[in-house]
Amino acid sequence: MSTVLTELGKQLAGRWAALLLLPGAFYVCAGTVAVLLGHSHALDPGALTAWLDQVAVTPASGRFGTVLIAAAAFTAVAAAAGLAASATAQAVEWVWWSSGEEPVLRRLAARRARRWERAEQEVEAALRAFTASGAAPREAARLRAAILRRDAICPEPAARPTWIGDRLYAVDQRVHDSYHLDLTAAWPRLWLMIPDGARAELAAARAGCAAAARLAAWGLLYLPLAVLWWPAAVLAAGILLTARHRARGAVGAQADLIEAAVDLYGREMVLLLGVDCPGRLTRTAGDEANTLLRKDRTDRSRLEG
């Protein structure tokens, strides 16, 4: 047991250092550079070298106690920055998954809905032109391009303030349209059934999304430094673009895996619930399963009656 606890402590310490301390240390260094250089000497390494030389020749710099206190203070500030990034990452994820009930997010959701509707109208126009032309190659290419532009916004009608929220909401809609299955109620049962390999893939996709949220949080924390040091704005923009790319990739993989899990194991789950489903999963079986999953007494009484 002692060996297990020691190894677990090492793993936790390594994870803490990788996720919080090291990025926090880099952030503290960037903040120090921002304060020392400012806008006027933003890219002047000479000013930074001069400051380091000045610190090195001060009498206090040669004292072990002073160095120890400075190192402890640096570590504490870096850890605090890491904790701030962790809290900001939770806020980022909340915005990503939000349904858009808040006033600002509601406007973003409405804007995305209008974009999707315009893209859908372009698809319909391209489809009419394709049909009228007798499947001409040029019109076929135009139709494919219109569909890709629409699906880049969302595979289903957009209803969330962010692409990430819409992408996962689209899975729920597609599952309901195909099987009449309430994915929110069914997912905990499906999770208990799917093989370990599928769970590992889903967990990896979810972890990738969380990592992208942490990266986005660091990008947001770098933005205030741009007030003092303009290169911080470039750094923040690069971090945020990278986080966006990684988040979309991770959420896209997660959405595809969730839908695949329903397609492959949904019927097995329905059978375990005691619902008659001799062939493929049908909408009727999905409706009966929803009654059991939601513990809906009204629907159950109607079915039993």
Side-chain angles (χ1 to χ4, degrees), residues 84-140:
S86 180
T88 306
Q90 293 182 4
V92 168
E93 287 197 272
W94 176 81
V95 173
W96 283 353
W97 311 125
S98 175
S99 61
E101 299 299 327
E102 297 73 15
V104 176
L105 297 181
R106 192 183 303 123
R107 287 194 289 270
L108 292 176
R111 178 175 176 272
R112 283 184 52 79
R114 289 192 296 269
R115 285 182 58 205
W116 192 92
E117 289 172 0
R118 289 194 297 268
E120 174 66 8
Q121 292 172 1
E122 292 178 2
V123 170
E124 293 174 356
L127 180 59
R128 289 193 296 268
F130 173 75
T131 304
S133 67
R138 181 178 179 181
E139 296 301 330

Side-chain angles (χ1 to χ4, degrees), residues 178-180 276-277 279-287:
S178 298
Y179 309 120
H180 280 195
D276 185 24
C277 187
R280 62 183 297 273
L281 181 58
T282 62
R283 295 180 176 181
T284 301
D287 287 331

Side-chain angles (χ1 to χ4, degrees), residues 175-182 262-263 266-271 275-290:
V175 169
H176 183 271
D177 292 343
S178 298
Y179 309 120
H180 280 195
L181 194 64
D182 184 349
V262 176
D263 293 337
R267 177 177 176 273
E268 184 179 349
M269 180 201 68
V270 167
L271 290 173
V275 176
D276 185 24
C277 187
R280 62 183 297 273
L281 181 58
T282 62
R283 295 180 176 181
T284 301
D287 287 331
E288 294 184 22
N290 287 337

Side-chain angles (χ1 to χ4, degrees), residues 7-31:
E7 186 63 27
L8 180 60
K10 291 180 180 178
Q11 293 179 2
L12 291 176
R15 182 174 178 82
W16 177 78
L19 296 181
L20 298 179
L21 188 57
L22 292 180
F26 187 81
Y27 181 80
V28 173
C29 291

Side-chain angles (χ1 to χ4, degrees), residues 55-281:
V55 171
V57 298
T58 56
S61 64
R63 299 172 186 169
F64 177 76
T66 303
V67 175
L68 184 61
I69 293 173
F74 179 85
T75 303
V77 175
L83 292 174
S86 180
T88 306
Q90 293 182 4
V92 168
E93 287 197 272
W94 176 81
V95 173
W96 283 353
W97 311 125
S98 175
S99 61
E101 299 299 327
E102 297 73 15
V104 176
L105 297 181
R106 192 183 303 123
R107 287 194 289 270
L108 292 176
R111 178 175 176 272
R112 283 184 52 79
R114 289 192 296 269
R115 285 182 58 205
W116 192 92
E117 289 172 0
R118 289 194 297 268
E120 174 66 8
Q121 292 172 1
E122 292 178 2
V123 170
E124 293 174 356
L127 180 59
R128 289 193 296 268
F130 173 75
T131 304
S133 67
R138 181 178 179 181
E139 296 301 330
R142 178 189 171 193
L143 177 60
R144 285 194 297 269
I147 293 174
L148 288 175
R149 286 194 297 270
R150 182 199 62 189
D151 290 349
I153 300 173
C154 187
E156 298 290 329
R160 295 293 189 270
T162 66
W163 181 92
I164 290 175
D166 265 330
R167 184 66 184 89
L168 290 179
Y169 178 67
V171 176
D172 186 85
Q173 289 296 109
R174 288 162 64 88
V175 169
H176 183 271
D177 292 343
S178 298
Y179 309 120
H180 280 195
L181 194 64
D182 184 349
L183 184 58
T184 302
W187 183 247
R189 285 81 175 176
L190 276 170
W191 181 259
L192 296 175
M193 293 176 51
I194 60 179
D196 292 340
R199 288 186 191 178
E201 293 291 336
L202 282 162
R206 180 65 186 89
C209 184
R214 287 194 300 271
L215 190 61
W218 282 114
L220 293 175
L221 290 180
Y222 275 100
L223 284 177
L225 298 182
V227 176
L228 303 173
W229 187 52
W230 65 261
V234 179
L235 183 61
I239 293 174
L240 289 172
L241 287 175
T242 303
R244 176 179 180 271
H245 175 73
R246 292 183 180 180
R248 289 197 169 201
V251 171
Q254 184 181 4
D256 291 339
L257 289 170
I258 291 173
E259 190 170 345
V262 176
D263 293 337
L264 295 176
Y265 304 104
R267 177 177 176 273
E268 184 179 349
M269 180 201 68
V270 167
L271 290 173
L272 289 176
L273 289 173
V275 176
D276 185 24
C277 187
R280 62 183 297 273
L281 181 58

